[in-house]
Amino acid sequence: DAGVIQSPRHEVTEMGQEVTLRCKPISGHNSLFWYRQTMMRGLELLIYFNNNVPIDDSGMPEDRFSAKMPNASFSTLKIQPSEPRDSAVYFCASSTGRGTEAFFGQGTRLTVV
Amino acid sequence: AQTVTQSQPEMSVQEAETVTLSCTYDTSENNYYLFWYKQPPSRQMILVIRQEAYKQQNATENRFSVNFQKAAKSFSLKISDSQLGDTAMYFCAFMKHGGGSEKLVFGKGTKLTVNP
């Protein structure tokens, strides 16, 4: 398996634009996590899916952020409209659950100017 | 809600020496899992070691070992014979067991520098 695949690797956008980050989890994994990493706040869990269903979205910062998992092999994190304070590295991770290791993608570095 | 605290933002150690990174967590759960992840400058998150709370024996992986103190809610990582390649951010993480809510929560990390 190629591991967790995220796209794009880098994204630069202007304030107010819509941004969509994409994630393909490892086949057979039924848990999927979206994280945001910044120097100030570390690794923040934004949302967690289990079997394509959002279980906990308490970490989503505000209504500008939304996440979907339409099927077991694809998830998106959307920011609309984007703001400079959204600049961060966004990670997607997947696992089989039951306390097993979560495998991370390479992350998307988002810069909002 | 579970929280994970890493009280050492930065640490340094000489090559070949031993270093211990601290982690404490807060939970009312009895069954859970604990992890240490490493993030080198490449940004990739790599699992270092995993501990199941119901196991009293401390996990070890080659030069990496943990000191798991369940009553104290402490989970420290010891790196023996430190190598230059160990330079990275280290994150402690907590996952509740079962119940369909196995979200993985991280501490803020410790930046470790191994000096030659």
Side-chain angles (χ1 to χ4, degrees), chain A residues 33 35 37 43 45 48 55-56 91 97-99 101-102 104 106-107 109, chain B residues 33 35 37 39 43-45 47 50 91 95 100-104 106 108:
Chain A
F33 309 88
Y35 292 91
Q37 185 176 28
L43 265 169
L45 177 63
Y48 156 58
I55 302 299
D56 188 333
F91 284 99
R98 298 182 295 278
E101 174 185 1
F104 282 73
Q106 292 279 66
R109 180 176 293 281
Chain B
Y33 306 92
F35 306 83
Y37 278 82
Q39 187 182 40
R43 202 167 82 194
Q44 182 65 46
M45 292 288 286
L47 179 69
R50 171 181 174 271
F91 293 94
M95 177 186 282
S101 182
E102 295 181 329
K103 65 182 184 180
L104 185 61
F106 285 85
K108 290 196 173 183

PDB file of all heavy atoms in Angstrom, chain A residues 33 35 37 43 45 48 55-56 91 97-99 101-102 104 106-107 109, chain B residues 33 35 37 39 43-45 47 50 91 95 100-104 106 108:
ATOM      1  N   PHE A  33      -8.458  10.598  10.732  1.00  0.00           N
ATOM      2  CA  PHE A  33      -8.277  11.801  11.559  1.00  0.00           C
ATOM      3  C   PHE A  33      -7.753  12.944  10.693  1.00  0.00           C
ATOM      4  O   PHE A  33      -6.893  12.737   9.840  1.00  0.00           O
ATOM      5  CB  PHE A  33      -7.236  11.540  12.662  1.00  0.00           C
ATOM      6  CG  PHE A  33      -7.464  10.298  13.481  1.00  0.00           C
ATOM      7  CD1 PHE A  33      -6.945   9.073  13.065  1.00  0.00           C
ATOM      8  CD2 PHE A  33      -8.156  10.346  14.676  1.00  0.00           C
ATOM      9  CE1 PHE A  33      -7.127   7.918  13.825  1.00  0.00           C
ATOM     10  CE2 PHE A  33      -8.338   9.203  15.443  1.00  0.00           C
ATOM     11  CZ  PHE A  33      -7.823   7.991  15.011  1.00  0.00           C
ATOM     12  N   TYR A  35      -5.774  16.592  11.376  1.00  0.00           N
ATOM     13  CA  TYR A  35      -5.065  17.397  12.369  1.00  0.00           C
ATOM     14  C   TYR A  35      -4.561  18.683  11.715  1.00  0.00           C
ATOM     15  O   TYR A  35      -4.277  18.731  10.520  1.00  0.00           O
ATOM     16  CB  TYR A  35      -3.853  16.646  12.927  1.00  0.00           C
ATOM     17  CG  TYR A  35      -4.175  15.450  13.780  1.00  0.00           C
ATOM     18  CD1 TYR A  35      -4.286  14.185  13.222  1.00  0.00           C
ATOM     19  CD2 TYR A  35      -4.353  15.575  15.156  1.00  0.00           C
ATOM     20  CE1 TYR A  35      -4.581  13.080  14.001  1.00  0.00           C
ATOM     21  CE2 TYR A  35      -4.637  14.469  15.941  1.00  0.00           C
ATOM     22  CZ  TYR A  35      -4.753  13.234  15.362  1.00  0.00           C
ATOM     23  OH  TYR A  35      -5.050  12.141  16.130  1.00  0.00           O
ATOM     24  N   GLN A  37      -1.406  21.452  12.444  1.00  0.00           N
ATOM     25  CA  GLN A  37      -0.186  21.654  13.227  1.00  0.00           C
ATOM     26  C   GLN A  37       0.333  23.070  13.043  1.00  0.00           C
ATOM     27  O   GLN A  37       0.577  23.526  11.915  1.00  0.00           O
ATOM     28  CB  GLN A  37       0.910  20.662  12.834  1.00  0.00           C
ATOM     29  CG  GLN A  37       2.159  20.759  13.706  1.00  0.00           C
ATOM     30  CD  GLN A  37       3.207  19.718  13.375  1.00  0.00           C
ATOM     31  OE1 GLN A  37       3.320  19.247  12.248  1.00  0.00           O
ATOM     32  NE2 GLN A  37       3.996  19.338  14.365  1.00  0.00           N
ATOM     33  N   LEU A  43      -0.219  19.944  17.586  1.00  0.00           N
ATOM     34  CA  LEU A  43      -1.071  19.103  16.749  1.00  0.00           C
ATOM     35  C   LEU A  43      -2.481  19.082  17.329  1.00  0.00           C
ATOM     36  O   LEU A  43      -2.743  18.447  18.342  1.00  0.00           O
ATOM     37  CB  LEU A  43      -0.528  17.675  16.737  1.00  0.00           C
ATOM     38  CG  LEU A  43       0.396  17.259  15.611  1.00  0.00           C
ATOM     39  CD1 LEU A  43       1.022  15.914  15.928  1.00  0.00           C
ATOM     40  CD2 LEU A  43      -0.328  17.188  14.286  1.00  0.00           C
ATOM     41  N   LEU A  45      -6.387  18.012  16.972  1.00  0.00           N
ATOM     42  CA  LEU A  45      -7.326  17.129  16.286  1.00  0.00           C
ATOM     43  C   LEU A  45      -8.542  17.951  15.878  1.00  0.00           C
ATOM     44  O   LEU A  45      -9.212  18.538  16.716  1.00  0.00           O
ATOM     45  CB  LEU A  45      -7.756  15.989  17.204  1.00  0.00           C
ATOM     46  CG  LEU A  45      -8.790  15.028  16.638  1.00  0.00           C
ATOM     47  CD1 LEU A  45      -8.240  14.288  15.425  1.00  0.00           C
ATOM     48  CD2 LEU A  45      -9.236  14.033  17.706  1.00  0.00           C
ATOM     49  N   TYR A  48     -12.684  13.502  13.629  1.00  0.00           N
ATOM     50  CA  TYR A  48     -12.379  12.078  13.610  1.00  0.00           C
ATOM     51  C   TYR A  48     -13.573  11.339  13.005  1.00  0.00           C
ATOM     52  O   TYR A  48     -14.703  11.550  13.436  1.00  0.00           O
ATOM     53  CB  TYR A  48     -12.080  11.632  15.040  1.00  0.00           C
ATOM     54  CG  TYR A  48     -12.292  10.176  15.362  1.00  0.00           C
ATOM     55  CD1 TYR A  48     -11.623   9.179  14.663  1.00  0.00           C
ATOM     56  CD2 TYR A  48     -13.145   9.810  16.397  1.00  0.00           C
ATOM     57  CE1 TYR A  48     -11.819   7.854  14.987  1.00  0.00           C
ATOM     58  CE2 TYR A  48     -13.342   8.480  16.720  1.00  0.00           C
ATOM     59  CZ  TYR A  48     -12.678   7.496  16.014  1.00  0.00           C
ATOM     60  OH  TYR A  48     -12.862   6.180  16.322  1.00  0.00           O
ATOM     61  N   ILE A  55     -17.427  11.224  14.048  1.00  0.00           N
ATOM     62  CA  ILE A  55     -17.706  10.859  15.435  1.00  0.00           C
ATOM     63  C   ILE A  55     -17.499  12.049  16.371  1.00  0.00           C
ATOM     64  O   ILE A  55     -18.259  12.252  17.307  1.00  0.00           O
ATOM     65  CB  ILE A  55     -16.798   9.695  15.886  1.00  0.00           C
ATOM     66  CG1 ILE A  55     -16.995   8.481  14.980  1.00  0.00           C
ATOM     67  CG2 ILE A  55     -17.048   9.344  17.341  1.00  0.00           C
ATOM     68  CD1 ILE A  55     -18.409   7.931  14.979  1.00  0.00           C
ATOM     69  N   ASP A  56     -16.472  12.820  16.106  1.00  0.00           N
ATOM     70  CA  ASP A  56     -16.131  13.932  16.990  1.00  0.00           C
ATOM     71  C   ASP A  56     -15.571  15.072  16.154  1.00  0.00           C
ATOM     72  O   ASP A  56     -14.491  14.932  15.586  1.00  0.00           O
ATOM     73  CB  ASP A  56     -15.112  13.468  18.028  1.00  0.00           C
ATOM     74  CG  ASP A  56     -14.847  14.503  19.118  1.00  0.00           C
ATOM     75  OD1 ASP A  56     -15.018  15.713  18.854  1.00  0.00           O
ATOM     76  OD2 ASP A  56     -14.461  14.112  20.233  1.00  0.00           O
ATOM     77  N   PHE A  91      -2.610  17.604   8.547  1.00  0.00           N
ATOM     78  CA  PHE A  91      -2.311  16.182   8.396  1.00  0.00           C
ATOM     79  C   PHE A  91      -3.597  15.370   8.390  1.00  0.00           C
ATOM     80  O   PHE A  91      -4.544  15.658   9.123  1.00  0.00           O
ATOM     81  CB  PHE A  91      -1.453  15.673   9.559  1.00  0.00           C
ATOM     82  CG  PHE A  91      -0.008  16.064   9.491  1.00  0.00           C
ATOM     83  CD1 PHE A  91       0.461  17.137  10.231  1.00  0.00           C
ATOM     84  CD2 PHE A  91       0.884  15.343   8.710  1.00  0.00           C
ATOM     85  CE1 PHE A  91       1.796  17.499  10.186  1.00  0.00           C
ATOM     86  CE2 PHE A  91       2.224  15.697   8.655  1.00  0.00           C
ATOM     87  CZ  PHE A  91       2.676  16.780   9.395  1.00  0.00           C
ATOM     88  N   GLY A  97      -8.137   1.262  14.003  1.00  0.00           N
ATOM     89  CA  GLY A  97      -8.818   1.412  15.274  1.00  0.00           C
ATOM     90  C   GLY A  97      -8.303   0.392  16.275  1.00  0.00           C
ATOM     91  O   GLY A  97      -7.271  -0.233  16.076  1.00  0.00           O
ATOM     92  N   ARG A  98      -9.010   0.225  17.348  1.00  0.00           N
ATOM     93  CA  ARG A  98      -8.679  -0.752  18.394  1.00  0.00           C
ATOM     94  C   ARG A  98      -7.265  -0.535  18.935  1.00  0.00           C
ATOM     95  O   ARG A  98      -6.547  -1.471  19.230  1.00  0.00           O
ATOM     96  CB  ARG A  98      -8.836  -2.184  17.872  1.00  0.00           C
ATOM     97  CG  ARG A  98     -10.257  -2.504  17.443  1.00  0.00           C
ATOM     98  CD  ARG A  98     -10.384  -3.955  16.987  1.00  0.00           C
ATOM     99  NE  ARG A  98      -9.615  -4.249  15.803  1.00  0.00           N
ATOM    100  CZ  ARG A  98     -10.003  -3.999  14.574  1.00  0.00           C
ATOM    101  NH1 ARG A  98     -11.171  -3.416  14.376  1.00  0.00           N
ATOM    102  NH2 ARG A  98      -9.251  -4.287  13.551  1.00  0.00           N
ATOM    103  N   GLY A  99      -6.904   0.753  19.041  1.00  0.00           N
ATOM    104  CA  GLY A  99      -5.630   1.076  19.660  1.00  0.00           C
ATOM    105  C   GLY A  99      -4.406   0.836  18.810  1.00  0.00           C
ATOM    106  O   GLY A  99      -3.289   0.867  19.325  1.00  0.00           O
ATOM    107  N   GLU A 101      -1.686   1.590  15.595  1.00  0.00           N
ATOM    108  CA  GLU A 101      -0.951   2.754  15.130  1.00  0.00           C
ATOM    109  C   GLU A 101      -1.744   3.545  14.107  1.00  0.00           C
ATOM    110  O   GLU A 101      -2.404   2.973  13.237  1.00  0.00           O
ATOM    111  CB  GLU A 101       0.355   2.284  14.492  1.00  0.00           C
ATOM    112  CG  GLU A 101       1.178   3.378  13.831  1.00  0.00           C
ATOM    113  CD  GLU A 101       2.397   2.821  13.114  1.00  0.00           C
ATOM    114  OE1 GLU A 101       2.578   1.584  13.123  1.00  0.00           O
ATOM    115  OE2 GLU A 101       3.147   3.616  12.538  1.00  0.00           O
ATOM    116  N   ALA A 102      -1.693   4.867  14.215  1.00  0.00           N
ATOM    117  CA  ALA A 102      -2.246   5.739  13.184  1.00  0.00           C
ATOM    118  C   ALA A 102      -1.125   6.085  12.219  1.00  0.00           C
ATOM    119  O   ALA A 102      -0.036   6.487  12.629  1.00  0.00           O
ATOM    120  CB  ALA A 102      -2.830   7.005  13.805  1.00  0.00           C
ATOM    121  N   PHE A 104       0.241   8.419   9.201  1.00  0.00           N
ATOM    122  CA  PHE A 104       0.044   9.797   8.759  1.00  0.00           C
ATOM    123  C   PHE A 104       0.444   9.990   7.300  1.00  0.00           C
ATOM    124  O   PHE A 104       1.391   9.369   6.809  1.00  0.00           O
ATOM    125  CB  PHE A 104       0.883  10.747   9.621  1.00  0.00           C
ATOM    126  CG  PHE A 104       0.290  11.025  10.966  1.00  0.00           C
ATOM    127  CD1 PHE A 104       0.306  10.066  11.965  1.00  0.00           C
ATOM    128  CD2 PHE A 104      -0.305  12.253  11.235  1.00  0.00           C
ATOM    129  CE1 PHE A 104      -0.248  10.315  13.211  1.00  0.00           C
ATOM    130  CE2 PHE A 104      -0.855  12.512  12.470  1.00  0.00           C
ATOM    131  CZ  PHE A 104      -0.827  11.543  13.458  1.00  0.00           C
ATOM    132  N   GLN A 106       1.786  12.867   4.374  1.00  0.00           N
ATOM    133  CA  GLN A 106       2.916  13.787   4.399  1.00  0.00           C
ATOM    134  C   GLN A 106       2.516  15.203   4.788  1.00  0.00           C
ATOM    135  O   GLN A 106       3.372  16.054   5.015  1.00  0.00           O
ATOM    136  CB  GLN A 106       3.579  13.828   3.017  1.00  0.00           C
ATOM    137  CG  GLN A 106       4.280  12.538   2.639  1.00  0.00           C
ATOM    138  CD  GLN A 106       5.660  12.435   3.257  1.00  0.00           C
ATOM    139  OE1 GLN A 106       5.812  12.338   4.469  1.00  0.00           O
ATOM    140  NE2 GLN A 106       6.683  12.462   2.424  1.00  0.00           N
ATOM    141  N   GLY A 107       1.223  15.447   4.857  1.00  0.00           N
ATOM    142  CA  GLY A 107       0.747  16.763   5.257  1.00  0.00           C
ATOM    143  C   GLY A 107       0.608  17.726   4.083  1.00  0.00           C
ATOM    144  O   GLY A 107       1.266  17.567   3.044  1.00  0.00           O
ATOM    145  N   ARG A 109       0.954  21.785   3.477  1.00  0.00           N
ATOM    146  CA  ARG A 109       1.312  23.092   4.055  1.00  0.00           C
ATOM    147  C   ARG A 109       0.462  24.155   3.382  1.00  0.00           C
ATOM    148  O   ARG A 109       0.610  24.407   2.174  1.00  0.00           O
ATOM    149  CB  ARG A 109       2.793  23.399   3.863  1.00  0.00           C
ATOM    150  CG  ARG A 109       3.181  24.754   4.456  1.00  0.00           C
ATOM    151  CD  ARG A 109       4.668  25.028   4.370  1.00  0.00           C
ATOM    152  NE  ARG A 109       5.458  24.153   5.201  1.00  0.00           N
ATOM    153  CZ  ARG A 109       5.628  24.287   6.505  1.00  0.00           C
ATOM    154  NH1 ARG A 109       5.039  25.292   7.140  1.00  0.00           N
ATOM    155  NH2 ARG A 109       6.382  23.439   7.181  1.00  0.00           N
TER     156      ARG A 109
ATOM    157  N   TYR B  33      -4.682   3.514  25.293  1.00  0.00           N
ATOM    158  CA  TYR B  33      -3.389   3.262  24.672  1.00  0.00           C
ATOM    159  C   TYR B  33      -2.579   4.560  24.697  1.00  0.00           C
ATOM    160  O   TYR B  33      -3.140   5.652  24.597  1.00  0.00           O
ATOM    161  CB  TYR B  33      -3.566   2.817  23.220  1.00  0.00           C
ATOM    162  CG  TYR B  33      -4.491   1.629  23.057  1.00  0.00           C
ATOM    163  CD1 TYR B  33      -5.862   1.819  22.833  1.00  0.00           C
ATOM    164  CD2 TYR B  33      -4.014   0.324  23.122  1.00  0.00           C
ATOM    165  CE1 TYR B  33      -6.718   0.749  22.695  1.00  0.00           C
ATOM    166  CE2 TYR B  33      -4.869  -0.754  22.985  1.00  0.00           C
ATOM    167  CZ  TYR B  33      -6.217  -0.535  22.769  1.00  0.00           C
ATOM    168  OH  TYR B  33      -7.066  -1.605  22.630  1.00  0.00           O
ATOM    169  N   PHE B  35       1.089   6.434  23.091  1.00  0.00           N
ATOM    170  CA  PHE B  35       2.024   6.361  21.974  1.00  0.00           C
ATOM    171  C   PHE B  35       3.075   7.471  22.095  1.00  0.00           C
ATOM    172  O   PHE B  35       2.828   8.536  22.665  1.00  0.00           O
ATOM    173  CB  PHE B  35       1.303   6.581  20.628  1.00  0.00           C
ATOM    174  CG  PHE B  35       0.134   5.674  20.370  1.00  0.00           C
ATOM    175  CD1 PHE B  35      -1.116   5.965  20.884  1.00  0.00           C
ATOM    176  CD2 PHE B  35       0.282   4.541  19.582  1.00  0.00           C
ATOM    177  CE1 PHE B  35      -2.214   5.147  20.631  1.00  0.00           C
ATOM    178  CE2 PHE B  35      -0.804   3.713  19.328  1.00  0.00           C
ATOM    179  CZ  PHE B  35      -2.041   4.017  19.855  1.00  0.00           C
ATOM    180  N   TYR B  37       5.320   9.433  19.158  1.00  0.00           N
ATOM    181  CA  TYR B  37       5.593   9.627  17.746  1.00  0.00           C
ATOM    182  C   TYR B  37       6.789  10.559  17.610  1.00  0.00           C
ATOM    183  O   TYR B  37       7.003  11.454  18.419  1.00  0.00           O
ATOM    184  CB  TYR B  37       4.400  10.249  17.017  1.00  0.00           C
ATOM    185  CG  TYR B  37       3.319   9.279  16.614  1.00  0.00           C
ATOM    186  CD1 TYR B  37       2.354   8.869  17.535  1.00  0.00           C
ATOM    187  CD2 TYR B  37       3.257   8.763  15.324  1.00  0.00           C
ATOM    188  CE1 TYR B  37       1.351   7.984  17.166  1.00  0.00           C
ATOM    189  CE2 TYR B  37       2.260   7.874  14.949  1.00  0.00           C
ATOM    190  CZ  TYR B  37       1.309   7.489  15.878  1.00  0.00           C
ATOM    191  OH  TYR B  37       0.322   6.607  15.517  1.00  0.00           O
ATOM    192  N   GLN B  39       8.742  13.222  14.858  1.00  0.00           N
ATOM    193  CA  GLN B  39       8.588  14.000  13.631  1.00  0.00           C
ATOM    194  C   GLN B  39       9.917  14.658  13.295  1.00  0.00           C
ATOM    195  O   GLN B  39      10.255  15.707  13.840  1.00  0.00           O
ATOM    196  CB  GLN B  39       7.484  15.051  13.777  1.00  0.00           C
ATOM    197  CG  GLN B  39       7.176  15.779  12.472  1.00  0.00           C
ATOM    198  CD  GLN B  39       6.107  16.849  12.631  1.00  0.00           C
ATOM    199  OE1 GLN B  39       6.074  17.571  13.628  1.00  0.00           O
ATOM    200  NE2 GLN B  39       5.214  16.958  11.644  1.00  0.00           N
ATOM    201  N   ARG B  43       9.075  16.222   8.318  1.00  0.00           N
ATOM    202  CA  ARG B  43       7.657  16.447   8.643  1.00  0.00           C
ATOM    203  C   ARG B  43       6.862  15.143   8.776  1.00  0.00           C
ATOM    204  O   ARG B  43       5.719  15.151   9.249  1.00  0.00           O
ATOM    205  CB  ARG B  43       7.015  17.356   7.585  1.00  0.00           C
ATOM    206  CG  ARG B  43       5.773  18.084   8.020  1.00  0.00           C
ATOM    207  CD  ARG B  43       5.444  19.158   7.004  1.00  0.00           C
ATOM    208  NE  ARG B  43       4.730  18.666   5.852  1.00  0.00           N
ATOM    209  CZ  ARG B  43       4.574  19.383   4.719  1.00  0.00           C
ATOM    210  NH1 ARG B  43       5.103  20.567   4.599  1.00  0.00           N
ATOM    211  NH2 ARG B  43       3.892  18.881   3.702  1.00  0.00           N
ATOM    212  N   GLN B  44       7.439  14.026   8.394  1.00  0.00           N
ATOM    213  CA  GLN B  44       6.724  12.760   8.471  1.00  0.00           C
ATOM    214  C   GLN B  44       6.535  12.341   9.926  1.00  0.00           C
ATOM    215  O   GLN B  44       7.469  12.402  10.720  1.00  0.00           O
ATOM    216  CB  GLN B  44       7.481  11.672   7.714  1.00  0.00           C
ATOM    217  CG  GLN B  44       6.799  10.320   7.703  1.00  0.00           C
ATOM    218  CD  GLN B  44       5.481  10.343   6.953  1.00  0.00           C
ATOM    219  OE1 GLN B  44       5.391  10.877   5.856  1.00  0.00           O
ATOM    220  NE2 GLN B  44       4.445   9.772   7.546  1.00  0.00           N
ATOM    221  N   MET B  45       5.347  11.895  10.285  1.00  0.00           N
ATOM    222  CA  MET B  45       5.063  11.394  11.635  1.00  0.00           C
ATOM    223  C   MET B  45       5.342   9.901  11.674  1.00  0.00           C
ATOM    224  O   MET B  45       4.785   9.137  10.875  1.00  0.00           O
ATOM    225  CB  MET B  45       3.603  11.656  12.000  1.00  0.00           C
ATOM    226  CG  MET B  45       3.264  13.117  12.170  1.00  0.00           C
ATOM    227  SD  MET B  45       3.948  13.827  13.668  1.00  0.00           S
ATOM    228  CE  MET B  45       2.874  13.110  14.906  1.00  0.00           C
ATOM    229  N   LEU B  47       5.733   6.400  14.165  1.00  0.00           N
ATOM    230  CA  LEU B  47       5.497   5.784  15.468  1.00  0.00           C
ATOM    231  C   LEU B  47       6.815   5.279  16.038  1.00  0.00           C
ATOM    232  O   LEU B  47       7.568   4.574  15.371  1.00  0.00           O
ATOM    233  CB  LEU B  47       4.517   4.626  15.346  1.00  0.00           C
ATOM    234  CG  LEU B  47       4.228   3.887  16.650  1.00  0.00           C
ATOM    235  CD1 LEU B  47       3.433   4.769  17.595  1.00  0.00           C
ATOM    236  CD2 LEU B  47       3.498   2.573  16.384  1.00  0.00           C
ATOM    237  N   ARG B  50       4.532   2.040  21.453  1.00  0.00           N
ATOM    238  CA  ARG B  50       3.114   1.985  21.829  1.00  0.00           C
ATOM    239  C   ARG B  50       2.988   1.191  23.124  1.00  0.00           C
ATOM    240  O   ARG B  50       3.673   0.188  23.332  1.00  0.00           O
ATOM    241  CB  ARG B  50       2.346   1.304  20.713  1.00  0.00           C
ATOM    242  CG  ARG B  50       0.896   0.950  20.989  1.00  0.00           C
ATOM    243  CD  ARG B  50       0.312   0.249  19.751  1.00  0.00           C
ATOM    244  NE  ARG B  50      -1.034  -0.262  19.976  1.00  0.00           N
ATOM    245  CZ  ARG B  50      -1.318  -1.458  20.456  1.00  0.00           C
ATOM    246  NH1 ARG B  50      -0.342  -2.281  20.777  1.00  0.00           N
ATOM    247  NH2 ARG B  50      -2.574  -1.840  20.618  1.00  0.00           N
ATOM    248  N   PHE B  91       6.283  13.537  20.073  1.00  0.00           N
ATOM    249  CA  PHE B  91       4.933  13.775  20.551  1.00  0.00           C
ATOM    250  C   PHE B  91       4.421  12.565  21.319  1.00  0.00           C
ATOM    251  O   PHE B  91       4.511  11.427  20.849  1.00  0.00           O
ATOM    252  CB  PHE B  91       3.982  14.037  19.378  1.00  0.00           C
ATOM    253  CG  PHE B  91       4.257  15.310  18.636  1.00  0.00           C
ATOM    254  CD1 PHE B  91       5.055  15.314  17.507  1.00  0.00           C
ATOM    255  CD2 PHE B  91       3.714  16.505  19.071  1.00  0.00           C
ATOM    256  CE1 PHE B  91       5.302  16.494  16.814  1.00  0.00           C
ATOM    257  CE2 PHE B  91       3.945  17.686  18.382  1.00  0.00           C
ATOM    258  CZ  PHE B  91       4.754  17.679  17.256  1.00  0.00           C
ATOM    259  N   MET B  95      -5.002   7.475  23.317  1.00  0.00           N
ATOM    260  CA  MET B  95      -6.195   7.011  22.616  1.00  0.00           C
ATOM    261  C   MET B  95      -7.048   6.200  23.584  1.00  0.00           C
ATOM    262  O   MET B  95      -6.556   5.225  24.170  1.00  0.00           O
ATOM    263  CB  MET B  95      -5.829   6.158  21.406  1.00  0.00           C
ATOM    264  CG  MET B  95      -7.044   5.581  20.677  1.00  0.00           C
ATOM    265  SD  MET B  95      -6.598   4.448  19.347  1.00  0.00           S
ATOM    266  CE  MET B  95      -6.120   5.606  18.070  1.00  0.00           C
ATOM    267  N   GLY B 100     -16.258   3.199  20.085  1.00  0.00           N
ATOM    268  CA  GLY B 100     -16.439   3.971  18.864  1.00  0.00           C
ATOM    269  C   GLY B 100     -15.877   5.378  18.943  1.00  0.00           C
ATOM    270  O   GLY B 100     -16.152   6.221  18.093  1.00  0.00           O
ATOM    271  N   SER B 101     -15.107   5.667  19.968  1.00  0.00           N
ATOM    272  CA  SER B 101     -14.557   7.018  20.109  1.00  0.00           C
ATOM    273  C   SER B 101     -13.062   6.941  20.362  1.00  0.00           C
ATOM    274  O   SER B 101     -12.567   7.445  21.358  1.00  0.00           O
ATOM    275  CB  SER B 101     -15.254   7.761  21.241  1.00  0.00           C
ATOM    276  OG  SER B 101     -14.758   9.084  21.339  1.00  0.00           O
ATOM    277  N   GLU B 102     -12.359   6.309  19.447  1.00  0.00           N
ATOM    278  CA  GLU B 102     -10.924   6.116  19.643  1.00  0.00           C
ATOM    279  C   GLU B 102     -10.129   7.240  19.016  1.00  0.00           C
ATOM    280  O   GLU B 102      -9.252   7.004  18.198  1.00  0.00           O
ATOM    281  CB  GLU B 102     -10.513   4.761  19.063  1.00  0.00           C
ATOM    282  CG  GLU B 102     -11.148   3.594  19.815  1.00  0.00           C
ATOM    283  CD  GLU B 102     -10.722   2.253  19.264  1.00  0.00           C
ATOM    284  OE1 GLU B 102     -10.451   2.161  18.058  1.00  0.00           O
ATOM    285  OE2 GLU B 102     -10.670   1.290  20.048  1.00  0.00           O
ATOM    286  N   LYS B 103     -10.448   8.462  19.393  1.00  0.00           N
ATOM    287  CA  LYS B 103      -9.699   9.563  18.818  1.00  0.00           C
ATOM    288  C   LYS B 103      -8.334   9.640  19.455  1.00  0.00           C
ATOM    289  O   LYS B 103      -8.131   9.291  20.608  1.00  0.00           O
ATOM    290  CB  LYS B 103     -10.449  10.875  18.971  1.00  0.00           C
ATOM    291  CG  LYS B 103     -10.657  11.361  20.390  1.00  0.00           C
ATOM    292  CD  LYS B 103     -11.447  12.648  20.361  1.00  0.00           C
ATOM    293  CE  LYS B 103     -11.603  13.239  21.749  1.00  0.00           C
ATOM    294  NZ  LYS B 103     -12.391  14.503  21.712  1.00  0.00           N
ATOM    295  N   LEU B 104      -7.371  10.101  18.697  1.00  0.00           N
ATOM    296  CA  LEU B 104      -5.968  10.156  19.087  1.00  0.00           C
ATOM    297  C   LEU B 104      -5.613  11.595  19.405  1.00  0.00           C
ATOM    298  O   LEU B 104      -5.651  12.458  18.528  1.00  0.00           O
ATOM    299  CB  LEU B 104      -5.124   9.616  17.925  1.00  0.00           C
ATOM    300  CG  LEU B 104      -3.621   9.465  18.120  1.00  0.00           C
ATOM    301  CD1 LEU B 104      -3.321   8.488  19.244  1.00  0.00           C
ATOM    302  CD2 LEU B 104      -2.986   8.985  16.825  1.00  0.00           C
ATOM    303  N   PHE B 106      -2.886  14.419  20.993  1.00  0.00           N
ATOM    304  CA  PHE B 106      -1.448  14.626  21.143  1.00  0.00           C
ATOM    305  C   PHE B 106      -1.117  15.716  22.150  1.00  0.00           C
ATOM    306  O   PHE B 106      -1.889  16.665  22.345  1.00  0.00           O
ATOM    307  CB  PHE B 106      -0.830  15.031  19.797  1.00  0.00           C
ATOM    308  CG  PHE B 106      -0.690  13.902  18.822  1.00  0.00           C
ATOM    309  CD1 PHE B 106      -1.749  13.535  18.003  1.00  0.00           C
ATOM    310  CD2 PHE B 106       0.496  13.196  18.714  1.00  0.00           C
ATOM    311  CE1 PHE B 106      -1.626  12.488  17.106  1.00  0.00           C
ATOM    312  CE2 PHE B 106       0.637  12.148  17.828  1.00  0.00           C
ATOM    313  CZ  PHE B 106      -0.425  11.791  17.021  1.00  0.00           C
ATOM    314  N   LYS B 108       1.852  18.759  23.047  1.00  0.00           N
ATOM    315  CA  LYS B 108       2.393  19.810  22.180  1.00  0.00           C
ATOM    316  C   LYS B 108       3.807  19.518  21.680  1.00  0.00           C
ATOM    317  O   LYS B 108       4.324  20.258  20.850  1.00  0.00           O
ATOM    318  CB  LYS B 108       2.358  21.158  22.908  1.00  0.00           C
ATOM    319  CG  LYS B 108       0.955  21.686  23.085  1.00  0.00           C
ATOM    320  CD  LYS B 108       0.936  23.156  23.448  1.00  0.00           C
ATOM    321  CE  LYS B 108      -0.502  23.662  23.429  1.00  0.00           C
ATOM    322  NZ  LYS B 108      -0.587  25.106  23.709  1.00  0.00           N
TER     323      LYS B 108
END
